[in-house]
Amino acid sequence: MSELHITPLHACLGAEIAGIDLSKPIDEATRQALSRALAEHLALVFHDQSLTPPQYLAAAAAFGPPMEQHYSQHNMPDHPLIGLIWHRNGQQPAERWHTDHTNRERPPAATILYGVDIPSSGGGTSVASMRAAYVALPEQERRRMEQLTTLNSLDSGRTDTRREDQEKYGRSIAHPMVRTHPVHGSRAVYFHISKVTHIEGMTPEASRAYMSDLLDRMIRPEIVYHHAWRKGDVLVIDNRATMHRAHGDYDRQQSRVLWRIIVEGDRPRLV
Ligand SMILES: [Fe+2]
């Protein structure tokens, strides 16, 4: 087993993992230690990695089987399980708080990002603990949210979605608005505002207004880890108990390329 050195990066979430070269095979004991670390810290950072696409896919599999990403026009042609986050190809930075791919019956347990091209300043990624957000809400609101179900589909308002992706991933999927972490057992607020068509029993407008108000109230600096990228960083985000966002505050003359892998998770449930 690799001897992992785990150093928390923030009082609420995030930890740096040293002592592992992700280009090498990961044994079972190390895989389990990484899975526990992710459930506890919710965002893991590995610095100074140097990975080919196959090595990156093999390392990501320590957190679960890589799964297809639904905006397939952005996938790496030779390795379609890797998505390219590259704003120069017309993508907009995902600057609103969200968790990934909630329109899937079993949304990804984790999103993994590898820093390939990093601008000289700005362009970071922030991660917020939805476990801490849930705990901080008034008890009455927590009880109310535990009764709510979101209906999820592909993002509304995108014009570049391929028809095959729309057909495969556009159907309505129901999830609880509060979910229990399958490894950690804690509860977290769970939704993606632009993938929710509505909350059951509410109009789309009222649903969006409620989620927007929730984001305004929940996201505070105390529950946010901000990752300032260095080339060669791997950032693993636990999608079951966090939201994240990109920052578009960098010089667009500079290139910012991240390789993204998402890995299979459980069907969200509240227990
Ligand atoms: Fe995302």
Side-chain angles (χ1 to χ4, degrees), residues 186-253:
S186 55
R187 291 180 172 187
V189 178
Y190 184 73
F191 65 85
H192 181 323
I193 188 167
S194 61
K195 286 201 167 64
V196 172
T197 54
H198 64 286
I199 297 168
E200 218 165 62
M202 293 169 68
T203 64
E205 295 74 23
S207 303
R208 187 159 290 234
Y210 179 49
M211 290 182 287
S212 181
D213 174 55
L214 265 174
L215 290 175
D216 288 346
R217 287 187 286 127
M218 289 189 307
I219 308 283
R220 297 165 290 114
E222 305 91 279
I223 69 164
V224 175
Y225 162 66
H226 179 77
H227 186 67
W229 285 96
R230 281 166 30 188
K231 186 179 169 68
D233 284 351
V234 171
L235 172 65
V236 184
I237 299 169
D238 190 322
N239 275 318
R240 300 162 294 194
T242 64
M243 289 192 194
H244 60 272
R245 57 159 292 192
H247 292 265
D249 59 343
Y250 67 95
D251 177 357
R252 297 301 171 82
Q253 300 303 311

Side-chain angles (χ1 to χ4, degrees), residues 98 100 244 260:
H98 67 281
D100 284 339
H244 60 272
R260 179 172 78 167

